Amino acid sequence: MADDYSDVTAHEAALVATMHQSKGLQWPVVVTGIPQARGWGHRAVSVQKAESFDVMHPLGGRSIRFLPRVLDGYADLRERLDASAVVSAGKEAESRESARLYYVGLTRAELYSVMAFATPDGEGNALGEAVRGDAPVVEWDDAAVGNSEAELRVNDLRADGSVGTNLPVMMRKSVIAAEPKVVEQTAVVSPYAFTDVPLRRPAVREEFVPARLTASSAASEGIDADIRVAATLGEPLVARGVVDWDIVGDAVHSYLGIPHHVMPEEMAREAAGRIIDRWAVGDVLQPEVLYEAGKRWARWVEETYPGSKILTEQPITWRNDLHQVMEGWIDTRIMLADGGHVLVDHKTYPGKDAVDHVRENYVGQLAAYAEALEATTGERPREMLVHLPLRGDVIGVGIGPSTEK
């Protein structure tokens, strides 16, 4: 069934997910587990948030609060800590978040919503603790095991404090017999348990592949690729990299992701300056460098692929033959005038050995993107390119179709 599975609609299948993942999705029938409420007490460590968030100083105004765990014998101290402003605010925030999650879980059903409570009477359930009022949000009469016509009520808890039971909801309650208790057996303690003789052996298990993958994590080893310098766009724009060079890469990707090639020069230069300021890389990268890199790239694409269209930051989702899901963003696709397309990935490698660097680090990523594009569009990319804007190079990567299943 996984071949036809979709995150939106799972026909003839049951989807097990957290309530966080269910936001925005709908199914005909939804079963929501309602556990018993548990008192976790105060957290040992909590973060006091700032009144406002400053993107340039993300930790500004924040502080870490440490509240020690209290032994059960010190009930007075525990009560005073639990009543403190910090702990009370944290508990209130957790309660509101729980209420929002239960609302999400209970409203995802198109036809039937099933609430599975831990006990037949529902006393002390987590939903009731999260949504507090003068009456429980859900209550019912006691009933025996099996289907019951006993009344079940959803109380209308208004913000003004009023309570009503006139919600037009059709309901039926069923009680499931308790599962038989599991007989606990005392494990036999080995006479070597308290010595330094290692008795544990590695567990024998099958090797599993992860359910999700990213193209950037795909290995390049074992892939036969023809790698060459396809074009030199000019002299290198930077001499070498520095510490935290990945932030420079983010800034360059941000600029190449906007339609700079159709902007007036003044607007493009202004955009380059804003991007550098926001990524705080002005000490190693100047707006002129970004503008020049973009101009070189756009001019080369226009000359090499006349009549083409540049598409940037293209989202892609793909399921491979191992049923792994890949989600990501393709830096650039050049849509050719005759209907084909070229796959492009921008990299900010500033070193001298570009060909070997691409071979060792990016062949797997391009191969994954190429397979995904072929599966989703029906046509494999005509070419695969790695654009090194700060070096002024375009590296061509030739990879044949994958034969592995």
Side-chain angles (χ1 to χ4, degrees):
M1 293 181 182
D3 293 334
D4 301 323
Y5 172 76
S6 167
D7 282 346
V8 178
T9 304
H11 296 287
E12 303 299 330
L15 176 64
V16 180
T18 66
M19 282 185 270
H20 290 89
Q21 294 173 308
S22 69
K23 293 181 179 180
L25 305 181
Q26 296 286 341
W27 298 275
V29 180
V30 173
V31 180
T32 305
I34 311 294
Q36 290 297 96
R38 298 180 63 181
W40 297 98
H42 62 266
R43 291 186 176 182
V45 178
S46 62
V47 177
Q48 189 73 18
K49 296 181 179 180
E51 294 183 359
S52 60
F53 179 75
D54 183 357
V55 69
M56 300 302 298
H57 303 88
L59 300 181
R62 295 162 64 94
S63 60
I64 297 179
R65 300 291 183 92
F66 172 72
L67 299 175
R69 297 291 184 185
V70 179
L71 298 177
D72 293 337
Y74 294 86
D76 291 343
L77 179 57
R78 181 189 298 273
E79 291 178 2
R80 294 188 64 178
L81 276 175
D82 289 346
S84 66
V86 174
V87 175
S88 297
K91 287 185 175 180
E92 180 63 25
E94 290 182 4
S95 178
R96 289 196 302 268
E97 176 63 13
S98 296
R100 285 191 291 267
L101 283 177
Y102 282 121
Y103 171 80
V104 168
L106 295 172
T107 57
R108 298 303 92 182
E110 295 175 344
L111 300 176
Y112 301 102
S113 182
V114 180
M115 291 180 288
F117 288 90
T119 59
D121 58 11
E123 290 295 328
N125 68 81
L127 175 62
E129 290 297 317
V131 185
R132 298 178 182 178
D134 294 337
V137 63
V138 179
E139 60 181 343
W140 57 85
D141 300 327
D142 193 15
V145 174
N147 293 337
S148 172
E149 298 300 330
E151 183 181 24
L152 186 148
R153 297 174 295 278
V154 176
N155 291 314
D156 188 0
L157 306 179
R158 300 292 180 176
D160 59 6
S162 61
V163 176
T165 57
N166 59 342
L167 295 182
V169 181
M170 297 177 59
M171 301 178 187
R172 187 178 67 178
K173 185 184 71 167
S174 299
V175 179
I176 301 175
E179 296 290 336
K181 294 184 178 180
V182 178
V183 178
E184 297 183 0
Q185 298 180 350
T186 302
V188 178
V189 180
S190 167
Y192 299 100
F194 302 103
T195 73
D196 58 354
V197 179
L199 292 181
R200 295 181 181 178
R201 297 178 180 178
V204 178
R205 52 169 291 178
E206 298 180 14
E207 292 296 329
F208 297 99
V209 297
R212 294 183 176 271
L213 61 90
T214 58
S216 59
S217 65
S220 298
E221 294 84 358
I223 300 178
D224 186 16
D226 176 25
I227 303 176
R228 71 197 189 285
V229 178
T232 299
L233 308 185
E235 293 296 325
L237 298 175
V238 298
R240 58 185 178 83
V242 296
V243 178
D244 297 329
W245 190 250
D246 55 333
I247 301 178
V248 175
D250 292 334
V252 173
H253 276 80
S254 297
Y255 181 74
L256 295 179
I258 66 175
H260 57 87
H261 55 288
V262 296
M263 290 180 175
E265 179 179 347
E266 183 179 354
M267 181 183 295
R269 291 180 181 275
E270 181 182 353
R274 289 201 308 270
I275 288 173
I276 287 178
D277 289 343
R278 290 176 180 176
W279 284 103
V281 293
D283 54 337
V284 294
L285 194 64
Q286 301 303 314
E288 180 62 29
V289 172
L290 272 188
Y291 174 75
E292 179 64 21
K295 185 173 70 172
R296 289 179 178 183
W297 168 245
R299 183 172 58 243
W300 181 81
V301 171
E302 183 178 357
E303 294 173 353
T304 308
Y305 308 104
S308 63
K309 183 179 181 180
I310 298 177
L311 302 181
T312 62
E313 299 297 328
Q314 296 292 289
I316 187 168
T317 301
W318 170 58
R319 184 186 295 273
N320 65 14
D321 292 337
L322 297 176
H323 308 298
Q324 295 174 288
V325 175
M326 183 193 81
E327 295 179 331
W329 300 81
I330 295 176
D331 288 347
T332 297
R333 289 177 67 202
I334 302 175
M335 309 305 295
L336 304 178
D338 63 357
H341 61 109
V342 175
L343 170 64
V344 181
D345 201 70
H346 303 295
K347 301 296 183 184
T348 53
Y349 172 70
K352 296 181 179 180
D353 195 358
V355 171
D356 285 345
H357 182 76
V358 170
R359 185 187 306 277
E360 294 173 3
N361 295 278
Y362 306 132
V363 172
Q365 178 179 0
L366 292 175
Y369 279 145
E371 288 189 52
L373 285 171
E374 185 176 10
T376 54
T377 67
E379 183 176 357
R380 193 171 180 84
R382 302 272 186 89
E383 297 180 65
M384 286 173 276
L385 306 174
V386 176
H387 174 218
L388 305 174
L390 301 184
R391 273 188 50 88
D393 290 335
V394 178
I395 308 298
V397 180
I399 306 174
S402 174
T403 58
E404 296 183 1
K405 297 295 183 184

